[in-house]
Amino acid sequence: MPDFTRGSAALEPDRIVVTACQFCNSNCRLRVGLKAGRIIEVRGEPADPVQDGNLCVKAPAMTELVYNRLRLTTPLRRVSGVKGSPSSRFEPVSWDEALDTIAVRFLRLRDEGAAHTIANRTSGRLPRGTGSLVSRMFAMLGSPNDTDVGPVCNDAGGDALAMTFGLPNFTNGYGVDPTTGQEDLGSARYLLMLGTNQAETHPVTFAYLLRSRQRSGARLVVVDPRRTPTAALADTWISPKPHTDLALVLGMLGHIIQTERYDQDFVAQWTTGFDELRRHLASRAYSPAWAAGVTGVPEATIRQLAEDYATSRPAAIFCNAGISHQLGAFDTYRVIAMLAAITGNVGVPGGGCNFMHNTWPGRLDLPPLPAPAPQRGPALPVGPDAFAESILAGRPYRLQALVTEGNPLVSSANTAKVREAYKRLDFYVYTGLFMEEAAYYADLILPVRSGLEFEGVYMRRDDRAIRWQDAAVAPVGQSRTDIEIWVDLAQALARKERRHPSSYWTDAFPRRWRDYRNLWSEFVRHTPGMAGMTRDRLRTRAEPLRWPCPDLDHPGVSTLYLDHPSWYQAAESLDAGNQGKRFLTPSGKVEFTTPALEQLLAPSGHSALPFFYTHPEVTGAHPTVAYDPKFIANPLKPQALTHPVRLAVPGSGTVHRRYPLMGMTGRPSVAHFATVTHWTHTGKRLNGVRLIQVHPDTARPLGIEQGDDIMVESPRGAITGTALLDAGIRPDTVFVPNTFGPAQQVGDEFGDPRYQAANHLVDDAFYDNLSGQQAYKCFACRIRKV
């Protein structure tokens, strides 16, 4: 069929703007066509061989954020109503009035010695570098509580990679490595995907892997309790119990070492602590037979999985939220990193530990503060759900003022508890595009711009790839970028400051930083490994450029730890102490265990050598954890507190007398990304009904049929949805799509119900005490027909 828009006087664009999609981490380049200033088409970038011109269903929906009658367009102030009530009333105020109100509250708390009671919570929707501005402001205020999205997303993977290899980043890249001229991940001969449904979460980069697989003949193995669209394309689908991946990979690791299928040369030259690891695994009898008893996966299947992975070179491992959202996320990722290392699949094209959504490049640095900052005490425990405990119980101290750039009333575990906390919060500022659930708890609401309305960078955080985006359209209403909001707030603090001269704030936040081009130049100038990533260079590329990239002649790093001069140059640009190092650990090798690691982790209850434990609500009464009520410094994030744990304490399984099933949450479908797509017509038209996946054998005795309204109940609460009977899920498991919430008005136009958040079901008391990850992937539950 010819494209009849071409040659049309009305539909031929008069201008093309090159920008980027922000609905997932595939980081697709968009070619946005405009006519008379209006967006009339959105196309992909054919000159990028990874993208290959492709877009998923979400990319055109970026325009539905711009042209949306429900957008917030002016700052709002609470006038009346109980916090959280949909009947809350707000009135417009000017930006100066809104920012002055925040500045007065922040400075009052600081002057009262309560700066530590001010907090901020960022999210993945922000322009890159917003977190750096927040951190700078909070340092100047004296608050340690500037938190990021990591504990809701995938911090644990980065933490494990940093401890094992030296950097917290996805190890390999999509596309051709300019250093070698060869495909990187496209050259893999074995693709092992644990807890990642890339067909629905990273569709365009997954399509690249599938095209590469046609050429290479790579075997695709997917490990997931349900048969996702990704698993449907796999050569092998393996379905363990939720929250038992740690047992599965321990069984694999033990078998590969016991049968001597590991890469002996790599282990001897590039690792430390291997003998201790081998003895430890043998003493614990971690084997395929043992793992089978925990996971429900046959012993022969685990043994074959281990042998195939160990003997297929190169082999790439991919993980995502299915691993991150577990109680033992950090330890599970550590074992997966050990698997890759002992088989020699690290520092080679087509291999690696590709733990998705890792923040890149870890930080974006600004010039040193022009004036000394006050001393700061310890931050709240890592993980945003510590906020609720702080507000309600005052442990370790009580938060009084909070700014969020996400929607904690949908994303936080134990939603009922979080609601109560936000009702009691003294002062809350919500920033966003729409009147989401969290907005009804706010004292002030600040409107932000959507991704097509600002200039900046966007990243494929997975493989550290970044591209420039131009603004396609003018901003909607009075909306501002998050960058502008924080720079402008600094100017308001300068107006209201009485302890310091106004220059204390204005020198640290110059107005020129409101223009992202100037701010990006500061990041490039001050962030290690970024000197080659200028705006001019990024804008001229159809393909993104990968960090680290130490100068304008460097091609950027695709394969981390590659034994090649370009990697050693990049590593040294990150820190002069890395000179000559292949791995950026203290030893310069892959570290399984060292006396220093054991000493670091011991106070938290962990060891560098892995022990099996899991969530107490996994069926079978497996070893679990017990939390000490006292606080200690988090060994991985020493500025924050955490609770020490005892690992492998006996579990009872008594909860399953009333709640016999295991529930898990996750992405509803490819149509959605977090809550924002629920405010698009495309998202609600395609997937506005919450379809709860249940095995037919589980539903039948309960009288549940396809399409019935059902209720899922856990010890924390209950939610409703529509039964989706599907044999592609374990009979003991129920899948509850997340990101639905009761404020999502767009669904009303399609007759969709207003749903309560899935996280009403999840227990906030169980979390990874190192990374802060919440255990969204298992909760005891029962179902019944409504």
Side-chain angles (χ1 to χ4, degrees), residues 692 702-704 708-712 719-722 783-786:
I692 298 173
L702 301 172
I704 295 172
D708 282 349
D709 290 335
I710 62 173
M711 179 172 287
V712 182
I719 59 94
T720 57
T722 298
I783 60 174
R784 62 180 176 87
K785 186 174 179 177
V786 175

Side-chain angles (χ1 to χ4, degrees), residues 623-653:
T624 184
V625 302
Y627 295 85
D628 192 314
K630 72 180 180 183
F631 290 101
I632 63 167
N634 186 321
L636 302 189
K637 306 171 195 299
Q639 78 282 3
L641 299 171
T642 193
H643 295 287
V645 296
R646 286 182 294 117
L647 297 182
V649 300
S652 70

Side-chain angles (χ1 to χ4, degrees), residues 3 6 16-21 26-33 41-60 204 467 542-543:
D3 182 353
R6 294 301 177 240
I16 301 292
V17 177
V18 177
T19 184
C21 182
S26 290
N27 190 23
C28 294
R29 198 182 202 208
L30 303 183
R31 302 184 66 83
V32 177
E41 69 174 26
V42 177
R43 296 176 183 261
E45 177 56 76
D48 180 346
V50 172
Q51 187 179 352
D52 198 30
N54 291 317
L55 295 173
C56 83
V57 66
K58 291 189 293 297
V204 173
R467 53 167 110 243
E543 299 178 70

Side-chain angles (χ1 to χ4, degrees), residues 445-627:
I445 296 171
L446 304 181
V448 300
R449 296 179 191 168
S450 73
L452 297 183
E453 299 164 50
F454 61 79
E455 182 181 28
V457 300
Y458 198 62
M459 66 185 73
R460 191 162 63 218
R461 286 184 290 174
D462 298 336
D463 68 340
R464 300 160 277 110
I466 189 165
R467 53 167 110 243
W468 193 266
Q469 62 178 74
D470 287 332
V473 291
V476 171
Q478 298 179 36
S479 61
R480 295 185 182 180
T481 69
D482 295 271
I483 298 293
E484 291 170 337
I485 290 172
W486 288 96
V487 174
D488 292 345
L489 178 57
Q491 311 308 312
L493 288 163
R495 290 194 295 270
K496 300 299 179 180
E497 177 66 79
R498 297 295 179 266
R499 178 181 293 181
H500 302 287
S502 61
S503 59
Y504 179 77
W505 297 103
T506 56
D507 289 354
F509 288 86
R511 286 184 181 275
R512 67 178 183 276
W513 287 0
R514 295 180 93 253
D515 184 330
Y516 194 85
R517 289 169 289 186
N518 296 329
L519 183 63
W520 183 252
S521 295
E522 296 284 2
F523 290 144
V524 169
R525 189 177 302 117
H526 293 96
T527 304
M530 276 190 61
M533 307 188 80
T534 63
R535 173 180 180 268
D536 289 345
R537 188 181 186 190
L538 292 173
R539 286 191 83 224
T540 60
R541 296 175 58 93
E543 299 178 70
L545 183 64
R546 278 184 285 257
W547 175 90
C549 182
D551 59 51
L552 292 173
D553 296 322
H554 196 282
V557 175
S558 184
T559 305
L560 294 180
Y561 318 114
L562 182 67
D563 194 6
H564 187 278
S566 68
W567 162 243
Y568 291 105
Q569 178 192 357
E572 189 174 349
S573 76
L574 300 177
D575 188 321
N578 292 336
Q579 184 176 11
K581 280 187 175 182
R582 182 177 181 186
F583 296 95
L584 307 188
T585 58
S587 65
K589 298 181 178 183
V590 177
E591 295 190 349
F592 299 138
T593 184
T594 66
L597 286 182
E598 294 295 346
Q599 184 178 4
L600 175 72
L601 292 171
S604 68
H606 292 261
S607 166
L609 297 171
F611 292 84
F612 173 69
Y613 59 99
T614 190
H615 199 288
E617 296 184 9
V618 173
T619 57
H622 301 291
T624 184
V625 302
Y627 295 85

Side-chain angles (χ1 to χ4, degrees), residues 80-134:
S80 65
V82 176
K83 284 194 172 186
S85 170
S87 62
S88 297
R89 288 186 56 247
F90 298 86
E91 66 178 10
V93 294
S94 70
W95 271 103
D96 281 350
E97 187 174 355
L99 295 174
D100 283 350
T101 300
I102 300 169
V104 167
R105 183 64 66 104
F106 281 8
L107 292 173
R108 182 191 306 161
L109 288 170
R110 182 203 64 183
D111 294 344
E112 292 171 352
H116 61 288
T117 70
I118 306 170
N120 183 80
R121 173 180 169 176
T122 61
S123 75
R125 73 155 175 80
L126 299 175
R128 299 307 106 184
T130 304
S132 301
L133 295 178
V134 177

Side-chain angles (χ1 to χ4, degrees), residues 59-366:
M62 286 282 290
T63 62
E64 297 175 31
L65 301 182
V66 178
Y67 305 123
N68 192 309
R69 64 181 180 81
L70 299 175
R71 276 284 295 273
L72 293 168
T73 60
T74 184
L76 300 172
R77 176 177 58 197
R78 174 176 291 278
V79 175
S80 65
V82 176
K83 284 194 172 186
S85 170
S87 62
S88 297
R89 288 186 56 247
F90 298 86
E91 66 178 10
V93 294
S94 70
W95 271 103
D96 281 350
E97 187 174 355
L99 295 174
D100 283 350
T101 300
I102 300 169
V104 167
R105 183 64 66 104
F106 281 8
L107 292 173
R108 182 191 306 161
L109 288 170
R110 182 203 64 183
D111 294 344
E112 292 171 352
H116 61 288
T117 70
I118 306 170
N120 183 80
R121 173 180 169 176
T122 61
S123 75
R125 73 155 175 80
L126 299 175
R128 299 307 106 184
T130 304
S132 301
L133 295 178
V134 177
S135 295
R136 191 174 181 86
M137 181 173 290
F138 273 53
M140 295 172 68
L141 286 167
S143 172
N145 288 309
D146 53 311
T147 66
D148 66 19
V149 71
V152 173
C153 201
N154 288 350
D155 256 11
D159 292 338
L161 290 173
M163 179 169 287
T164 312
F165 305 135
L167 287 177
N169 304 98
F170 199 97
T171 59
N172 290 66
Y174 298 104
V176 173
D177 183 347
T179 296
T180 63
Q182 300 175 339
E183 287 278 350
D184 190 348
L185 285 172
S187 66
R189 301 302 301 270
Y190 193 88
L191 302 168
L192 175 57
M193 297 193 173
L194 296 143
T196 177
N197 176 19
Q198 291 193 43
E200 295 193 296
T201 62
H202 294 69
V204 173
T205 49
F206 183 57
Y208 155 76
L209 293 176
L210 294 179
R211 294 195 304 275
S212 301
R213 178 186 176 212
Q214 290 178 333
R215 297 190 298 269
S216 67
R219 186 170 183 80
L220 173 61
V221 178
V222 174
V223 178
D224 198 298
R226 62 191 188 105
R227 189 175 182 267
T228 63
T230 308
L233 294 167
D235 297 292
T236 302
W237 168 46
I238 298 170
S239 57
K241 283 185 181 182
H243 245 79
T244 63
D245 298 84
L246 179 54
L248 179 74
V249 293
L250 279 170
M252 292 174 63
L253 187 67
H255 183 67
I256 291 169
I257 293 176
Q258 193 271 327
T259 58
E260 298 189 349
R261 285 180 165 84
Y262 58 91
D263 186 329
Q264 298 187 22
D265 290 340
F266 183 89
V267 166
Q269 183 176 2
W270 293 112
T271 73
T272 183
F274 178 77
D275 290 338
E276 293 91 333
L277 175 64
R278 175 169 50 191
R279 289 193 294 269
H280 171 76
L281 295 172
S283 71
R284 306 294 296 186
Y286 290 144
S287 67
W290 163 81
V294 176
T295 63
V297 176
E299 175 186 353
T301 299
I302 299 174
R303 188 183 304 113
Q304 191 66 53
L305 175 64
E307 294 173 5
D308 289 348
Y309 172 73
T311 56
S312 301
R313 307 285 181 88
I317 297 178
F318 294 84
C319 302
N320 203 347
I323 302 299
S324 297
H325 294 168
Q326 296 193 27
L327 178 60
F330 171 79
D331 288 314
T332 304
Y333 276 125
R334 272 276 289 169
V335 177
I336 293 170
M338 293 173 185
L339 268 177
I342 67 166
T343 55
N345 277 306
V346 180
V348 295
C353 293
N354 304 294
F355 301 162
M356 310 184 97
H357 288 201
N358 291 327
T359 301
W360 172 90
R363 66 180 195 268
L364 290 168
D365 289 349
L366 291 167

